[in-house]
Amino acid sequence: MKTRDKIIQASIDLFNEHGERNVTTNHIAAHLGISPGNLYYHFRNKEDIILSIYEEYARKLLLDTFPIASPDIEPLDAIINYMDTVFQAMSRFRFFYANLPVLLDKNPSLREKYVEVQELIRTQVSDLLISLRDVNMISFEDEELPDLVSVLRIVNTFWLSFYQTQNLHPNIDSSVFIEGVLKIFALIRPYTTPAALPEFIKARDLYLKRHQEMQTVA
């Protein structure tokens, strides 16, 4: 792995473990056993590192792998794949979601990239919902689509922050992200058609079982 990639991966791990605001470039360099000068050869500052992390996140985990329903993919599988993709991204880059408004305020370049990517995601979520409607998986009126897309994206983006504010000693583990997926199921159920409801409930119960098993282990 190249030094630049090592810096990115180490930064993600440290930001997740200690919180982005508590980690400096010196901490990252020391963690990797390299000099601060070596780090600055690749990145000008911590904000530059975070921008690079977000670009990797957006490219690999949202844009390149975003599922769209098609004749080769079962409709329910498409939306489950979407939820898994988003919440796996949240787990890997949880520091970003836990402190999103502050990070965007500190880094205009990051905000510009974030808004650009979010517009693409908005379009993709809309297309996914329409494709599910086309195969009679869900039902909604055209005028409902923008609000439905917005609410789904709000849960995806801010579920982790919400969870942290509701607990005195929040412990972020895999069960938290499964709980986020269950919230998406709750949002979609009123739009699910009678024909699709049995499969929908089957999928929801699968996630519910996973969540209960994780809670038992914890």
Side-chain angles (χ1 to χ4, degrees):
M1 186 182 296
K2 296 180 180 179
T3 300
R4 186 181 188 279
D5 295 330
K6 290 181 180 179
I7 293 170
I8 289 177
Q9 297 309 313
S11 298
I12 294 171
D13 293 338
L14 291 172
F15 292 158
N16 284 339
E17 182 177 357
H18 303 291
E20 173 271 334
R21 69 186 68 185
N22 298 317
V23 177
T24 67
T25 51
N26 285 341
H27 290 138
I28 298 168
H31 180 79
L32 288 170
I34 62 176
S35 68
N38 193 351
L39 185 148
Y40 289 129
Y41 174 79
H42 298 278
F43 298 98
R44 295 168 296 175
N45 49 43
K46 188 169 74 171
E47 285 68 33
D48 197 19
I49 295 174
I50 292 171
L51 177 60
S52 295
I53 289 173
Y54 183 70
E55 289 174 340
E56 174 183 319
Y57 155 75
R59 181 180 63 254
K60 292 184 178 180
L61 295 179
L62 288 181
L63 302 182
D64 290 349
T65 61
F66 196 98
I68 296 295
S70 73
D72 300 324
I73 303 175
E74 291 294 327
L76 188 59
D77 289 342
I79 200 163
I80 290 175
N81 288 341
Y82 163 66
M83 291 189 289
D84 277 345
T85 297
V86 170
F87 284 98
Q88 285 172 15
M90 286 180 63
S91 179
R92 176 56 177 155
F93 299 94
R94 57 187 178 274
F95 81 90
F96 189 81
Y97 288 95
N99 203 28
L100 180 58
V102 174
L103 290 176
L104 297 180
D105 283 344
K106 290 194 301 184
N107 193 334
S109 295
L110 177 62
R111 179 179 289 277
E112 182 178 348
K113 174 59 69 174
Y114 180 82
V115 170
E116 174 188 337
V117 170
Q118 290 302 306
E119 179 59 25
L120 291 172
I121 292 172
R122 184 194 64 76
T123 300
Q124 290 182 315
V125 172
S126 296
D127 291 345
L128 176 58
L129 292 176
I130 291 170
S131 68
L132 292 172
R133 185 176 64 176
D134 288 344
V135 293
N136 198 35
M137 179 76 191
I138 59 177
S139 177
F140 56 85
E141 301 298 329
D142 289 342
E143 59 268 24
E144 295 179 285
L145 180 60
D147 285 340
L148 181 56
V149 170
S150 293
V151 171
L152 288 172
R153 292 175 59 218
I154 287 170
V155 174
N156 287 336
T157 303
F158 295 107
W159 162 247
L160 183 57
S161 295
F162 175 79
Y163 175 85
Q164 290 176 303
T165 65
Q166 304 303 303
N167 295 270
L168 290 176
H169 306 288
N171 179 35
I172 307 301
D173 57 22
S174 297
S175 70
V176 175
F177 299 101
I178 297 297
E179 191 173 346
V181 174
L182 290 171
K183 298 299 181 284
I184 297 295
F185 273 108
L187 285 171
I188 294 175
R189 177 165 181 165
Y191 298 93
T192 305
T193 63
L197 190 58
E199 284 298 313
F200 176 90
I201 293 175
K202 180 180 177 181
R204 183 208 58 191
D205 288 349
L206 177 63
Y207 278 93
L208 185 59
K209 181 180 178 181
R210 287 170 59 185
H211 183 260
Q212 291 170 340
E213 289 172 348
M214 289 176 181
Q215 291 289 86
T216 300
V217 171

